[in-house]
Amino acid sequence: MNLPAATQRPLGTTGPRVSPLGLGCMGMSALYGEADRAESIATVHAALDAGVTLLDTGDFYAMGHNEMLIGEALRTAPAAARESALTSVKFGALRDPDGGWSGYDGRPAAVKNFAAYSLQRLGVDHIDVYRIARLDPDVPIEETVGAIAELVEQGHVRHIGLSEVGAETIRRAAATAPISDLQIEYSLISRSIEESILPTVSELGIGVTAYGVLSRGLISGHFTQDRTLAANDFRGMSPRFQGENLRHNLGLVEQLRKIAEQQGVSVAQIAIAWVLAQGARHKADIVPLVGARTRTRLTEALGALDVTLTPADLAAIEQAVPAGAAAGERYPAAQMAHLDSERR
């Protein structure tokens, strides 16, 4: 598949035009077990060749490994593909040499320090969208966004994004500087943003880059009850992948599979197509990020763009997997506490 430029969509009223799907690159370096470096780079190249323009990463994904991987992929890609690529980078998460997590840093001086290292690792002269991964509770969002705005003025960053923040924080950030998009988890089984966050971004003209559209593979149709996870796989600690929760959630997948089979498509394609369809429903620019680590999974994900869901199809999907149907939170309790987006 090759995505024509006409299929690109705006990422909010102030953001860039991007492909209808973006490539989430985290799993190529961290949190889902071992990945094949050569296949990862080949997957980035295949995505760019297919017309995917948005590459999403974080400076803390395997402590810089993911940015260096993307840097290598860009450096070895054809010039035209390299020039079309847009980098979306998250920063602020603090790590230790053992891979532990120790909070977030949104201080202006830290923002500029993080950016300097990301530019070097990626091998680019600017970052297209820059965002703090989680709200730093000790630093007002106005200060963090203000620092990114200074980087925009200096030409090091093109657009300001947000990540996993709630409606009040979104409004405060948007009052400080133009915001292109909010990156946040959104899928058939993670729909809490529909209550107040989606209406807010729609009102303010802010786009959404939706990650976790397949819930880390849980609703991809490929995950099984007896799958053994590597010791360094995040899903081994994720509540939705535990015991009875997993059995319940895979039962939802089987309901979804029936609909996919009627359409002649895969479960993953139905799940991605559902997220794509929510843009019109909520009057928001929504761009799903697909975390494909192989060219096979990338090809499957791109196939979702050919899936047309009628109102009857959407109603059947809602009946099979209604809002709130998932068992378990999307993160362990300690990480849920860092989500400004989940505060009620």
Side-chain angles (χ1 to χ4, degrees):
M1 173 181 289
N2 193 282
L3 307 177
T7 65
Q8 292 187 358
R9 58 191 60 187
L11 198 55
T13 55
T14 67
R17 292 188 66 83
V18 300
S19 50
L21 290 179
L23 182 64
C25 300
M26 180 188 74
M28 297 177 180
S29 297
L31 298 181
Y32 295 144
E34 296 301 318
D36 183 287
R37 185 180 186 86
E39 179 61 23
S40 295
I41 291 174
T43 301
V44 174
H45 287 170
L48 295 173
D49 185 60
V52 174
T53 62
L54 188 63
L55 304 178
D56 184 77
T57 184
D59 64 9
F60 51 92
Y61 292 165
M63 285 65 81
H65 178 279
N66 200 241
E67 288 183 320
M68 291 188 287
L69 181 77
I70 292 175
E72 181 179 347
L74 291 174
R75 190 168 60 251
T76 55
R82 184 167 61 248
E83 291 168 7
S84 71
L86 302 174
T87 52
S88 170
V89 179
K90 291 178 292 299
F91 67 88
L94 303 177
R95 308 295 301 273
D96 63 38
D98 295 322
W101 303 79
S102 50
Y104 297 90
D105 193 344
R107 294 171 302 144
V111 172
K112 296 172 184 178
N113 177 78
F114 291 135
Y117 282 86
S118 286
L119 289 165
Q120 181 69 26
R121 286 188 290 255
L122 288 165
V124 297
D125 61 8
H126 69 272
I127 295 165
D128 292 286
V129 188
Y130 201 46
R131 69 188 88 240
I132 189 166
R134 300 287 187 269
L135 180 67
D136 181 343
D138 298 322
V139 179
I141 191 63
E142 292 85 352
E143 293 185 17
T144 302
V145 166
I148 305 175
E150 290 181 16
L151 291 171
V152 172
E153 292 172 3
Q154 295 161 3
H156 303 304
V157 170
R158 292 281 170 83
H159 303 281
I160 304 170
L162 298 170
S163 176
E164 286 290 358
V165 291
E168 179 185 350
T169 303
I170 294 168
R171 291 187 184 280
R172 289 170 53 195
T176 303
I179 304 297
S180 67
D181 68 307
L182 168 70
Q183 188 170 123
I184 196 163
E185 185 168 353
Y186 188 38
S187 73
L188 266 168
I189 63 171
S190 295
R191 296 177 57 177
S192 61
I193 71 169
E194 293 177 349
E195 182 179 340
S196 63
I197 292 174
L198 274 180
T200 300
V201 296
S202 175
E203 173 194 338
L204 297 175
I206 295 171
V208 172
T209 40
Y211 76 88
V213 293
L214 297 178
S215 277
R216 299 164 182 82
L218 179 58
I219 59 171
S220 68
H222 302 299
F223 203 92
T224 59
Q225 182 77 43
D226 58 355
R227 180 168 174 176
T228 300
L229 296 173
N232 60 346
D233 193 318
F234 160 81
R235 292 170 293 189
M237 299 181 295
S238 174
R240 289 183 174 173
F241 288 83
Q242 308 301 312
E244 282 300 323
N245 288 351
L246 179 59
R247 277 186 281 277
H248 171 86
N249 294 331
L250 290 179
L252 297 175
V253 174
E254 291 312 305
Q255 295 302 311
L256 195 60
R257 194 185 304 277
K258 295 175 184 177
I259 299 170
E261 288 174 348
Q262 291 170 0
Q263 293 271 5
V265 300
S266 73
V267 175
Q269 288 168 339
I270 279 285
I272 296 168
W274 180 87
V275 176
L276 283 163
Q278 301 313 300
R281 176 184 175 188
H282 295 283
K283 298 181 174 59
D285 298 320
I286 299 177
V287 176
L289 297 173
V290 294
R293 300 197 292 173
T294 67
R295 286 166 286 182
T296 299
R297 292 287 183 255
L298 173 68
T299 299
E300 180 183 29
L302 291 173
L305 295 171
D306 292 329
V307 178
T308 300
L309 298 177
T310 66
D313 294 330
L314 291 167
I317 292 170
E318 294 274 348
Q319 184 174 6
V321 189
E329 298 283 4
R330 55 193 181 103
Y331 286 103
Q335 294 183 39
M336 287 293 291
H338 291 293
L339 296 179
D340 182 67
S341 56
E342 293 288 346
R343 293 194 173 91
R344 295 290 183 264

